Amino acid sequence: MFDLKGYETSLLEGAWVTLEVALASLLLALLLGMLGALAKLSPYKWARGIATAYTTVIRGIPDLVLMMLLFFGGQVLINNLCTWVNESYNNYLLASNPNQEWVSLLPDYIDISPFAAGIATIGFIFGAYMTETFRGAILAVDKGELEAARAFGMRATQVFVRILFPQMMRHALPGFGNNWLVLLKTTALVSIIGLDDMVRKASLAAGSTQQPFTFYMAVALIFLVFTAVSTSALKWAERHYAIKTR
């Protein structure tokens, strides 16, 4: 249908990178989301305060700004921290021994890869959205069932695995599905920081062939395939966790 001028392999490689970033970001977002939800429902005020600050700040800043801030600003911050640690440690050694040679506890320079930065940023962003999704789902579970499980003698981990998690998933799946589909499309932002994902591959190919419509349309179709497969999987999950009635 489209003449991709031999760039088919390049686009498929970029699509695989996009999928890797999306899945790895999802795992991080799920972890942060569950921790954030439990923190928001915690009896400890400090835990609720940290979780609330996290969701408020992340949801109030555009994704692109966060991506640039964490990739460029985070790299500067980490390297400045390494320099400060090394200088502080060596100043401590020189105070007791002026002839002490320079010792580097941390690397002098750390280069953060766009792949790791993209996963960390997207996972961190959507962890805030997952926090609210999971919090609402946990609150929707009947507290009487949790109290009955504890009264029966179940440990906290057993209550979570056997009672809380299966029921909260039924309530969380619609919000989770929406977050996943938005996360999948947000992966296009990693091309801004230099990662050779599908969008960047298409941009390079479009620049070489002067056919932007062809390559960006191909990217759009690939994203539609990812979305269609995801929607089917989400529908299966909703049926799996649905209440079975006779």
Side-chain angles (χ1 to χ4, degrees):
M1 183 175 181
F2 294 106
D3 182 9
L4 297 178
K5 306 294 184 181
Y7 284 96
E8 295 88 352
T9 301
S10 178
L11 277 181
L12 290 177
E13 290 174 352
W16 178 249
V17 172
T18 295
L19 195 57
E20 287 180 323
V21 171
L23 293 175
S25 300
L26 177 65
L27 291 177
L28 179 58
L30 290 175
L31 175 62
L32 292 176
M34 185 59 67
L35 291 175
L38 295 176
K40 278 204 165 186
L41 298 173
S42 170
Y44 301 106
K45 187 175 181 179
W46 62 268
R48 296 197 304 271
I50 292 174
T52 300
Y54 166 53
T55 56
T56 301
V57 170
I58 294 302
R59 292 189 298 169
I61 300 176
D63 296 349
L64 179 59
V65 175
L66 277 171
M67 181 77 69
M68 305 292 281
L69 180 64
L70 291 178
F71 179 65
F72 295 108
Q75 186 158 276
V76 171
L77 181 62
I78 289 174
N79 284 291
N80 287 342
L81 180 61
C82 290
T83 300
W84 179 80
V85 169
N86 287 333
E87 289 180 350
S88 299
Y89 180 68
N90 282 275
N91 288 335
Y92 170 76
L93 294 179
L94 290 172
S96 58
N97 183 8
N99 297 322
Q100 174 70 42
E101 295 183 358
W102 182 273
V103 178
S104 294
L105 287 178
L106 298 175
D108 294 328
Y109 182 78
I110 297 177
D111 187 17
I112 301 176
S113 71
F115 184 80
I119 291 172
T121 303
I122 296 174
F124 196 65
I125 291 170
F126 282 88
Y129 297 105
M130 292 293 185
T131 292
E132 296 301 331
T133 298
F134 290 149
R135 185 183 70 87
I138 291 173
L139 290 174
V141 176
D142 188 356
K143 292 183 179 179
E145 295 190 25
L146 303 178
E147 293 173 356
R150 297 189 190 99
F152 190 71
M154 289 187 183
R155 297 188 300 274
T157 53
Q158 291 177 316
V159 172
F160 179 82
V161 173
R162 297 180 182 180
I163 308 298
L164 180 60
F165 183 78
Q167 295 197 65
M168 66 163 280
M169 282 302 298
R170 184 172 69 251
H171 300 290
L173 273 173
F176 167 82
N178 288 334
N179 287 331
W180 160 246
L181 294 177
V182 176
L183 183 154
L184 186 59
K185 293 184 290 184
T186 302
T187 57
L189 293 179
V190 297
S191 62
I192 299 297
I193 60 176
L195 182 63
D196 284 331
D197 70 323
M198 179 167 52
V199 176
R200 181 170 172 80
K201 294 280 190 181
S203 177
L204 295 174
S208 298
T209 61
Q210 301 300 311
Q211 295 181 3
F213 177 82
T214 298
F215 289 97
Y216 288 123
M217 180 58 72
V219 169
L221 292 175
I222 294 173
F223 269 117
L224 282 174
V225 171
F226 287 164
T227 301
V229 173
S230 299
T231 302
S232 298
L234 289 167
K235 287 182 178 179
W236 173 87
E238 289 179 358
R239 292 194 300 269
H240 177 75
Y241 284 103
I243 297 176
K244 305 296 191 298
T245 58
R246 295 181 183 273

